[in-house]
Amino acid sequence: MPRPRVGDEIELMVDDLAFGGAGVGRDDGFVVFVADAAPGERVRARVRKSRRRHAEAELVEVLGEPGPARREPPCPYVPRCGGCRLQHLDYPVTLDAKRRQVVEHLARIGGLSDVDVRPVDAAEPRLGYRNKMEYSFAPSPDGGPSLGLHARGRWDEVLDLSSCLIASPRLDAVRASVRGWAETSGLDPYDQREQRGDLRHLVLREGTATGEALATLVTSDGARIAEAVDALAPRLAERHPDLVGVLHAVNPGVAESTQGLDSRVVWGGDTFAERVRGVELRMSATAFFQTNTHMTETLYGRVAEAAGLDGGQVLYDLFAGAGAIGVALGREAREVVAIEIQPEAVEDARRNARDNGLSAHRALCGDVGTVLREMREELPDPDVAIVDPPRAGLNGKAIRRLLEFAPPTLVYVSCQPATFAENAAKFVDGGYALEYVQPVDMFPQTPHIEAVARFTRTRARSAV
């Protein structure tokens, strides 16, 4: 098939949505992914990348009538912003696409067909739901500071937002206050191209159910910067009574990172509280928790359903973060073993178990695969294991250890269908049946897909 060249403008019919949110069409049989296109549209698109088996293109114009799935995005920054890529589509269309993408990944990557992938649990609300936001500073064209989100596909351009529709109103208000302070602070926004400047990121966390919020300002190093942040903190706390802490983290390097940095408490404390499934969780600034508290209730309900706990089981909570799943389900288990690699999160998990009256709960710090191997003789056999890994999924070591422990029920919480499909195939080869997958729309307006899968052991493990 002829392959289009970079810069070519082509006309094609868009038939479907790909993982990532782009429309899928064919130019003389050659697959082309068109950003911002909707199914059912004939479009003109400009090729920006051309690979051996597919091309990527940007939408130039819709030819004729818009597709039946297209709608007017509520956010004025679409499509320039790199965050929401599905705001131009009717919501039911995005749910159907997400379900089909899970099915396709399981079949194509995992070789698993005829899996019971259930209809996606729809999100409510669909705007203002994020309880965590990471904003970036950058120089604006007029020479002042920009504070917002990166432009789509750009590491060096930040959109100076007046508001973000998927951020909670509480966090959006704090962002606006910090943005105003930055203009008069005497500090320079960090220029990633020049690799110099003072202000780098603003990380905001919120307990949606409690109203508590935590702000972390990430800057370059320097006494002058620290003094300015010290002056900001009490003013910020006075303006926003829901703030329970203001932290200052220092990034002395060139990498754009908000994790693993030295930090100090400038005002208040370094934790915030959240409630889910009847338990209160206290978490540190960097601890993992789902970014949509409203849908976390639904997600954990699906996890509990898949786990099938009745009070008599030993529950493993792997990649436990601040221990949220294990603590939320712990009253339905006989004993909980939580494993997490981040020391601060492990301390959070221990405190959360203690504060919620779970005496038969132990949180262990370390890599999941390593801890399971080194403590094999000390740990009780699991009846149910819940894994909630990062986007990269489970590595081979963790899978081998789980197959050695062979819990009768395995619940996998996935945030990336490709790595989940790879892992699922290995569990099936290792003696498990994949009973069903329940997608949950944790991130409406975006292509991200969360899912809960239930595996049950059917035979002794195979070699992995």
Side-chain angles (χ1 to χ4, degrees):
M1 290 178 288
R3 183 170 64 176
R5 296 171 299 180
V6 173
D8 284 354
E9 287 197 3
I10 57 178
E11 294 184 8
L12 68 161
M13 189 71 188
V14 176
D15 302 313
D16 202 354
L17 283 178
F19 179 67
V24 184
R26 284 170 173 77
D27 178 46
D28 290 335
F30 192 82
V31 175
V32 181
F33 299 109
V34 185
D36 308 311
E41 294 180 335
R42 185 160 188 81
V43 303
R44 179 179 290 113
R46 184 179 298 112
V47 177
R48 58 184 184 85
K49 291 183 181 180
S50 186
R51 307 186 188 279
R52 187 165 64 91
R53 294 188 177 181
H54 72 271
E56 299 175 20
E58 58 188 12
L59 179 66
V60 176
E61 63 175 320
V62 176
L63 303 173
E65 292 294 320
R70 182 175 289 278
R71 67 167 184 141
E72 187 66 25
C75 176
Y77 299 103
V78 172
R80 292 179 297 153
C81 181
C84 299
R85 300 198 178 191
L86 301 180
Q87 278 198 17
H88 64 293
L89 298 172
D90 280 339
Y91 187 59
V93 171
T94 68
L95 294 183
D96 180 64
K98 290 183 179 186
R99 179 189 174 278
R100 286 187 289 105
Q101 287 158 13
V102 174
V103 173
E104 291 164 7
H105 279 83
L106 284 168
R108 180 170 53 85
I109 297 175
L112 301 173
S113 57
D114 300 322
V115 177
D116 178 14
V117 180
R118 298 176 175 179
V120 183
D121 286 331
E124 189 60 44
R126 296 167 196 165
L127 295 174
Y129 62 83
R130 283 193 65 97
N131 59 33
K132 179 183 180 183
M133 295 295 298
E134 293 192 11
Y135 299 104
S136 297
F137 286 95
S140 68
D142 62 8
S146 292
L147 178 58
L149 302 174
H150 280 272
R152 184 184 300 181
R154 297 293 298 270
W155 56 270
D156 59 342
E157 181 182 345
V158 170
L159 298 178
D160 193 20
L161 304 181
S162 60
S163 67
C164 176
L165 294 186
I166 65 171
S168 81
R170 184 180 289 111
L171 298 188
D172 202 47
V174 176
R175 176 206 54 78
S177 292
V178 175
R179 168 69 175 78
W181 163 82
E183 290 186 329
T184 60
S185 66
L187 302 179
D188 295 323
Y190 193 82
D191 188 325
Q192 188 61 26
R193 282 188 175 276
E194 300 293 331
Q195 295 182 356
R196 59 183 174 84
D198 305 319
L199 300 173
R200 304 194 66 160
H201 296 94
L202 174 66
V203 183
L204 302 176
R205 306 280 309 259
E206 175 192 75
T208 302
T210 65
E212 295 187 359
L214 202 64
T216 302
L217 198 64
V218 182
T219 73
S220 300
D221 201 1
R224 178 177 62 91
I225 302 173
E227 289 174 2
V229 175
D230 289 348
L232 165 69
R235 292 167 47 193
L236 203 61
E238 183 179 4
R239 180 172 296 182
H240 302 280
D242 292 330
L243 273 176
V244 295
V246 178
L247 286 73
H248 178 205
V250 173
N251 180 358
V254 298
E256 289 291 275
S257 176
T258 62
Q259 300 293 314
L261 305 176
D262 289 336
S263 65
R264 64 189 178 95
V265 177
V266 183
W267 175 89
D270 60 355
T271 65
F272 68 100
E274 180 62 288
R275 282 194 299 272
V276 63
R277 281 186 67 86
V279 300
E280 183 160 305
L281 306 167
R282 183 154 291 280
M283 290 172 283
S284 53
T286 58
F288 171 78
F289 184 72
Q290 295 287 346
T291 57
N292 184 341
T293 303
H294 300 284
M295 291 306 294
T296 298
E297 290 280 352
T298 300
L299 181 75
Y300 286 7
R302 293 301 193 183
V303 171
E305 178 183 298
L309 300 171
D310 61 14
Q313 296 97 334
V314 173
L315 172 65
Y316 278 22
D317 178 15
L318 307 180
F319 303 90
I325 292 178
V327 173
L329 274 62
R331 290 170 296 187
E332 303 164 40
R334 174 166 54 89
E335 182 178 353
V336 178
V337 176
I339 303 176
E340 165 61 38
I341 198 168
Q342 186 189 43
E344 296 86 354
V346 173
E347 290 304 314
D348 289 343
R350 290 169 179 163
R351 178 179 57 238
N352 288 327
R354 181 176 63 251
D355 290 350
N356 285 279
L358 295 181
S359 57
H361 180 290
R362 52 176 154 167
L364 307 173
C365 187
D367 171 76
V368 166
T370 301
V371 172
L372 291 179
R373 175 177 57 82
E374 293 179 349
M375 300 190 66
R376 179 69 183 91
E377 300 304 317
E378 302 174 44
L379 294 175
D381 289 335
D383 300 298
V384 178
I386 298 171
V387 296
D388 186 5
R391 294 180 65 81
L394 299 173
N395 61 29
K397 179 170 63 174
I399 292 175
R400 286 193 295 273
R401 298 291 88 80
L402 275 167
L403 291 177
E404 288 173 1
F405 274 74
T409 300
L410 173 67
V411 181
Y412 192 122
V413 182
S414 163
C415 62
Q416 221 289 355
T419 54
F420 166 65
E422 292 177 353
N423 289 172
K426 292 180 180 179
F427 283 119
V428 170
D429 288 344
Y432 281 82
L434 175 51
E435 290 193 3
Y436 66 82
V437 180
Q438 174 62 64
V440 180
D441 195 22
M442 301 290 291
F443 312 102
Q445 320 301 334
T446 80
H448 299 296
I449 308 169
E450 197 90 5
V452 176
R454 174 179 163 89
F455 294 83
T456 52
R457 194 179 67 215
T458 59
R459 65 179 191 275
R461 76 177 184 93
S462 304
V464 179

